[in-house]
């Protein structure tokens, strides 16, 4: 039955579903994992980098983390080409707002403008949904640090901690037990690496597969966005692996006692 209704984004099935939009959302679940953790000190963003071939020249810029404005950045899960279109729209809208009102665009308004654009591509015939989801991180003077998640349907929601992409349910289960509200940035960095190590499909994680960044206030309350170096990422990986090994040995010892 569904095959009759999955050729168009504008035709509802008898069950009230838009199959093409659902397929686009499902495509995100096969993308690289992205993690966002919010605290009063700032926001930690972590993403899985996927290498298609060892013959490829390493990218000179990040393919997972994008800066939209001085106070807003985002992680991308899905089709990078689709993401480039939406990021361009977000940057353009943010600068137009700054030009017109002489102040930075509120974070939620940036997110809403992108989601309105995405939703329009599910409303009209001859178009397909954007195959990309975002984790937005930003700061404004109204609500401080904010973390948002959006999907191809145009929906968005605010989060304290979230995971999108492959194995996102496993990542969210870790956050439900380990995430502490208003934790330090260092603690959230370790937690984000722990989530990625649990969701990665590699037995030997390395800085080539993980990208970490931090959005926080710097000198004179200026918002800074910093991407951690490979050495810093490797240190965090080693620390988390030691903790995971210790937990594994402890659980094996306790099961042996039984």
């Amino acid at each position: 039955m569904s095959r009759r209704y999955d050729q168009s984004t504008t035709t509802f099935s008898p069950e009230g579903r838009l199959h093409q939009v659902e397929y686009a959302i499902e495509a995100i679940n096969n993308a690289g994992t992205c993690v966002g953790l919010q605290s009063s000190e700032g926001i930690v963003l972590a993403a899985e980098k996927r290498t298609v071939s060892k013959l490829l020249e390493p990218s000179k810029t990040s393919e997972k983390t994008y800066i939209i404005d001085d106070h807003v950045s985002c992680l991308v899960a899905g089709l990078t080409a689709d993401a480039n279109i939406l990021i361009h729209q977000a940057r353009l809208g943010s600068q137009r707002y700054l030009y017109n009102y002489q102040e930075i665009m509120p974070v939620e308004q940036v997110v809403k403008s992108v989601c309105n654009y995405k939703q329009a591509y599910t409303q009209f015939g001859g178009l397909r949904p954007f195959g990309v989801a975002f984790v937005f991180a930003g700061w404004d003077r109204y609500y401080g640090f904010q973390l948002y998640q959006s999907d191809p349907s145009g929906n968005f929601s605010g989060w304290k901690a979230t995971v999108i992409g492959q194995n996102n349910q496993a990542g969210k289960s870790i956050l439900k037990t380990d995430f502490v509200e208003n934790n330090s940035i260092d603690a959230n960095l370790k937690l984000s690496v722990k989530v990625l190590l649990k969701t990665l499909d590699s037995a030997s994680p390395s800085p080539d597969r993980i990208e970490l960044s931090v959005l926080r206030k710097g000198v004179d309350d200026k918002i800074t966005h910093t991407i951690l170096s490979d050495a810093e990422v490797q240190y965090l990986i080693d620390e988390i692996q030691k903790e995971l090994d210790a937990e594994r040995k402890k659980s094996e010892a306790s099961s042996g006692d039984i």
Side-chain angles (χ1 to χ4, degrees):
M1 177 66 76
S2 65
R3 299 298 298 175
R4 296 170 53 189
Y5 301 95
D6 67 354
Q7 302 301 314
S8 171
T9 59
T10 59
T11 304
F12 282 95
S13 73
E15 298 84 19
R17 299 163 61 184
L18 291 171
H19 289 285
Q20 282 296 320
V21 177
E22 291 183 15
Y23 296 159
I25 295 173
E26 187 62 31
I28 305 305
N29 294 331
N30 298 321
T33 309
C34 297
V35 184
L37 304 174
Q38 177 188 335
S39 73
S40 57
E41 294 182 9
I43 298 175
V44 170
L45 299 174
E48 173 193 354
K49 296 188 292 184
R50 290 185 172 176
T51 304
V52 179
S53 172
K54 293 181 179 179
L55 300 178
L56 280 174
E57 180 73 19
S59 176
K60 297 174 178 60
T61 57
S62 172
E63 295 180 351
K64 297 293 291 185
T65 308
Y66 293 83
I67 296 176
I68 295 174
D69 203 343
D70 291 340
H71 66 298
V72 185
S73 60
C74 67
L75 293 178
V76 171
L79 301 177
T80 305
D82 285 9
N84 287 335
I85 300 294
L86 295 169
I87 289 167
H88 173 73
Q89 289 291 326
R91 287 171 174 169
L92 189 62
S94 185
Q95 294 306 306
R96 282 174 174 168
Y97 188 97
L98 179 63
Y99 179 80
N100 288 330
Y101 302 106
Q102 297 301 303
E103 68 174 8
I104 61 174
M105 192 173 184
V107 179
E108 186 171 348
Q109 203 163 332
V110 174
V111 177
K112 189 177 292 185
S113 67
V114 175
C115 291
N116 287 343
Y117 195 81
K118 286 202 287 186
Q119 193 277 334
Y121 275 70
T122 70
Q123 192 79 39
F124 304 104
L127 304 175
R128 70 161 176 83
F130 287 95
V132 62
F134 292 98
V135 172
F136 292 95
W139 178 93
D140 59 43
R141 62 189 178 94
Y142 302 103
Y143 298 106
F145 288 106
Q146 300 157 67
L147 186 69
Y148 293 93
Q149 171 186 328
S150 78
D151 63 38
S153 69
N155 283 328
F156 74 92
S157 52
W159 294 77
K160 296 176 182 177
T162 187
V163 183
I164 62 174
Q166 193 173 38
N167 298 324
N168 62 83
Q169 292 301 323
K172 286 178 180 177
S173 66
I174 297 172
L175 293 181
K176 286 178 182 178
T177 57
D178 293 0
F179 177 72
V180 177
E181 192 173 346
N182 289 328
N183 214 343
S184 67
I185 286 179
D186 290 339
N188 281 345
L189 280 170
K190 287 186 175 181
L191 179 56
S192 64
V193 172
K194 181 179 180 180
V195 171
L196 287 181
L197 292 186
K198 291 285 190 178
T199 57
L200 280 174
D201 56 359
S202 173
S204 55
S206 67
D208 296 334
R209 299 289 309 278
I210 295 175
E211 181 173 287
L212 297 175
S213 59
V214 178
L215 188 80
R216 66 177 126 197
K217 281 188 176 182
V219 181
D220 299 328
D221 286 341
K222 185 177 180 180
I223 302 301
T224 62
H225 184 270
T226 308
I227 297 179
L228 274 64
S229 66
D230 287 350
E232 291 172 312
V233 174
Q234 186 62 59
Y235 172 78
L236 288 168
I237 291 173
D238 294 340
E239 288 291 308
I240 296 302
Q241 283 188 319
K242 288 179 183 177
E243 293 180 8
L244 293 176
D245 290 341
E247 290 177 7
R248 192 179 302 113
K249 290 179 181 177
K250 185 176 180 180
S251 62
E252 289 175 355
S254 60
S255 62
D257 293 340
I258 294 173

